[in-house]
Amino acid sequence: MKRQDKADLIGEILDDLYPDPPIPLDHTDPYTLLVAVALSAQTTDKKVNEVTPALFAEASTPEEMVVLGPDRILELIREIGLAPTKARNLWTAANQIVDAGGEVIEDWDFLESLAGVGHKTASVVMSQGFGHPAFPVDTHIHRLAARWGLSNGTNVERTERDLKAVFPVDTWNRRHLQIIFFGREHCPALRHDMLACPICSWAASKRRIAEEARAAAPRLRR
């Protein structure tokens, strides 16, 4: 099956399963979304959503985050992975936003200039916060795209380009969320029966299925 035909069928399945996927990180505006996404690196969305209510109760704007200070931010996000670094970055980024006028600017270069904000975080804010077409690729989407043969999986930048090439631009903002939800519910990283998966069973190559089966075998014997 050609890659484009495969992507078209995958899109139909995802649209059927998740016609209107919600944003998994709780937020109220582009700034709180930016904070939540920055906190989610190497941390589950569930844990972020458990921590941010207390943080946002004290600081839901860049100005309030500056006043809060890095030490208090750290106290509030201590359960999050890489908390010390993220606390410093949140405070620094808040200062940068205040210096730029106090609002999160709807601009790629501005977002990626903020402390702790990489291309993936900027992509989420641009797509889900401002509605610009973007295809944020995290490690989970990167893994599924490789499993499904939609990308060669060498790096997330290549995966983003490959996915943008096979999915229509007007689907990007929902498609990346759909893939995230599909991965959680049907396509986990470990102990995954690819032959029983609604997509892997036909989209993954025989070689990929065999490789993952061999990799899982030592874990199953433990």
Side-chain angles (χ1 to χ4, degrees):
M1 181 182 292
K2 293 181 179 180
R3 181 179 294 188
Q4 186 60 62
D5 293 336
K6 188 183 293 187
D8 292 343
L9 184 51
I10 288 172
E12 292 178 9
I13 293 172
L14 294 175
D15 282 338
D16 183 58
L17 290 172
Y18 312 104
D20 188 22
I23 301 172
L25 292 168
D26 297 336
H27 66 285
T28 56
D29 56 24
Y31 177 67
T32 52
L33 177 61
L34 175 71
V35 171
V37 178
L39 289 175
S40 70
Q42 299 187 36
T43 304
T44 65
D45 292 345
K46 179 181 179 182
K47 175 56 68 175
V48 173
N49 288 338
E50 291 173 356
V51 167
T52 50
L55 175 64
F56 293 152
E58 294 194 28
S60 62
T61 67
E63 293 85 355
E64 292 172 343
M65 198 70 73
V66 170
V67 173
L68 203 57
D71 291 340
R72 179 57 180 159
I73 295 172
L74 177 57
E75 291 177 8
L76 292 166
I77 69 167
R78 192 173 297 278
E79 297 179 24
I80 295 286
L82 306 176
T85 298
K86 290 176 180 178
R88 290 193 298 272
N89 284 338
L90 287 183
W91 185 74
T92 301
N95 277 279
Q96 291 175 283
I97 295 170
V98 169
D99 290 343
E103 299 291 336
V104 176
I105 300 174
E106 197 172 331
D107 178 78
W108 286 99
D109 290 338
F110 172 76
L111 289 172
E112 294 185 21
S113 74
L114 299 175
V117 176
H119 180 67
K120 180 256 182 178
T121 297
S123 294
V124 174
V125 175
M126 288 296 281
S127 64
Q128 308 303 339
F130 294 117
H132 291 277
F135 211 120
V137 173
D138 62 8
T139 55
H140 305 292
I141 293 177
H142 179 60
R143 169 172 48 83
L144 267 61
R147 268 182 175 170
W148 298 344
L150 297 182
S151 176
N152 63 14
T154 55
N155 55 64
V156 293
E157 292 80 11
R158 175 61 184 269
T159 297
E160 180 181 343
R161 291 196 300 270
D162 289 342
L163 293 178
K164 284 181 173 180
V166 294
F167 290 117
V169 64
D170 62 348
T171 70
W172 292 353
N173 289 356
R174 73 175 185 273
R175 192 70 79 228
H176 85 94
L177 291 174
Q178 291 170 329
I179 296 175
I180 289 172
F181 281 109
F182 185 88
R184 292 177 181 176
E185 297 179 8
H186 299 282
C187 205
L190 302 176
R191 299 178 179 85
H192 177 45
D193 184 356
M194 297 182 75
L195 293 177
C197 176
I199 294 180
C200 291
S201 58
W202 58 269
S205 67
K206 292 181 180 179
R207 178 180 177 181
R208 180 79 185 206
I209 292 173
E211 287 175 350
E212 293 214 18
R214 285 196 299 270
R219 290 191 292 268
L220 295 175
R221 289 197 295 267
R222 291 173 187 171

